[in-house]
């Protein structure tokens, strides 16, 4: 299984508009972060997690020419506002499966009402096949991938963390309930939320993320959804050996 970080930044992206901080002014490419999203490739199956606000740019940069499905973690702008940009892939390959939990579908159907209840003439619409995922109800997908949706809590919002075989992606969360923790054990690779060094009301901060990694003991972990408080070169020194900050365009086998 190959993982590509399409974006690793918090909701504003890094640099943040009009910010003059050290990270936002940094020339280090490791401090340039589009909105969070990953591409998973396994035996010819290609899965995108979240159609971020930067999806078009990310798809062009990563030369994505086909996707078998999109898995949505939750319906916040930074994670879904690129949904309309699946259209060029629809033109080539037809309708695409989109997976999300019931709460996210409620918001997706409202925000993207024009997709589900077309009322106008002309204009291409995204073609998607909605699937609802349920906490702890695994299913198989594509070529040899077992998918387990696990509920995590982002402030008060239930968000879906996805486990794909022995890899898991858990972003936008403050709390991982005990049964979801159990679903995240024995991993080769864990990608985990870590918005900044200081504590935050709806995201994990660095100390909280490292404590969860210490408990789950994946072989390797990558921190994502990073904001501009994190300057790669300086803050990478704070991490244990098996943990790294995710970087845009980085790939992991
Ligand atoms: Zn987010
Ligand atoms: Zn900044």
């Amino acid at each position: 299984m190959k993982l590509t970080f399409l974006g690793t930044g918090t909701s504003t992206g890094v640099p943040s508009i009009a910010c003059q901080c050290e990270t936002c002014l940094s020339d280090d490419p490791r401090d340039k972060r589009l909105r969070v999203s990953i591409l998973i490739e396994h035996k010819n199956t290609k899965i995108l997690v979240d159609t971020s606000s930067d999806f078009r740019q990310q798809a062009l940069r990563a030369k994505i020419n086909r996707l078998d499905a999109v898995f949505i973690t939750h319906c916040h702008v930074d994670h879904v506002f690129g949904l309309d940009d699946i259209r060029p892939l629809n033109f080539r390959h037809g309708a695409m499966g989109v997976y999300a939990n019931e709460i996210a579908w409620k918001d997706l159907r409202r925000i993207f009402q024009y997709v589900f209840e077309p009322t106008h003439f002309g204009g291409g619409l995204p073609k998607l096949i909605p699937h609802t995922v349920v906490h702890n109800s695994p299913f198989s997908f594509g070529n040899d991938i077992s998918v387990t949706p696990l509920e995590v809590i982002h402030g008060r919002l239930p968000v879906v963390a996805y486990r794909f075989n022995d890899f898991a992606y858990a972003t936008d969360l403050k709390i991982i309930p005990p049964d979801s923790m159990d679903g995240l054990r024995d991993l080769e690779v864990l990608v985990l939320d870590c918005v900044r060094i200081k504590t935050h009301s709806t995201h994990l901060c660095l100390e909280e993320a490292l404590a969860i990694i210490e408990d789950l003991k994946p072989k390797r972990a990558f921190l994502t959804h990073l904001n501009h408080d994190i300057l790669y070169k300086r803050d990478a020194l704070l991490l244990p050996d098996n943990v790294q900050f995710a970087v845009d365009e980085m790939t992991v086998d």
Side-chain angles (χ1 to χ4, degrees), residues 11 36 74 76 78-79 154 172 203 225:
S11 57
V36 286
H74 65 302
H76 277 171
D78 48 329
H79 297 258
H154 182 29
D172 293 64
H203 285 275
H225 215 290

Side-chain angles (χ1 to χ4, degrees), residues 182-202:
D182 291 340
L184 294 170
R185 297 190 191 279
D186 303 314
L187 291 169
E188 286 286 326
V189 173
L190 169 66
V191 176
L192 188 62
D193 187 36
C194 173
V195 73
R196 65 187 188 190
I197 312 286
K198 284 181 303 189
T199 178
H200 187 281
S201 59
T202 61

Side-chain angles (χ1 to χ4, degrees), residues 9 19 51-52 77 88 90-91 100 124 127 132 170 173 183 191 200 205 214 227-228 237 247 250:
C19 185
T51 51
S52 90
V77 166
N90 294 149
F91 301 153
K127 289 189 175 57
T132 303
L173 66 97
V191 176
H200 187 281
C205 66
E214 181 69 32
N227 87 353
H228 61 170
L237 303 172
V247 173
M250 176 194 268

Side-chain angles (χ1 to χ4, degrees), residues 135-136 148-153 161 163 168 170 173-187 190 192 204 208-218:
H135 168 62
N136 238 336
T148 307
L150 295 163
E151 189 171 285
V152 294
I153 309 298
R163 180 174 183 142
L173 66 97
K174 180 72 175 175
I175 292 166
I176 306 182
D179 62 334
S180 296
M181 284 292 279
D182 291 340
L184 294 170
R185 297 190 191 279
D186 303 314
L187 291 169
L190 169 66
L192 188 62
L204 296 177
E208 292 164 334
L210 293 180
I212 287 171
I213 291 165
E214 181 69 32
D215 185 341
L216 294 176
K217 297 185 173 45

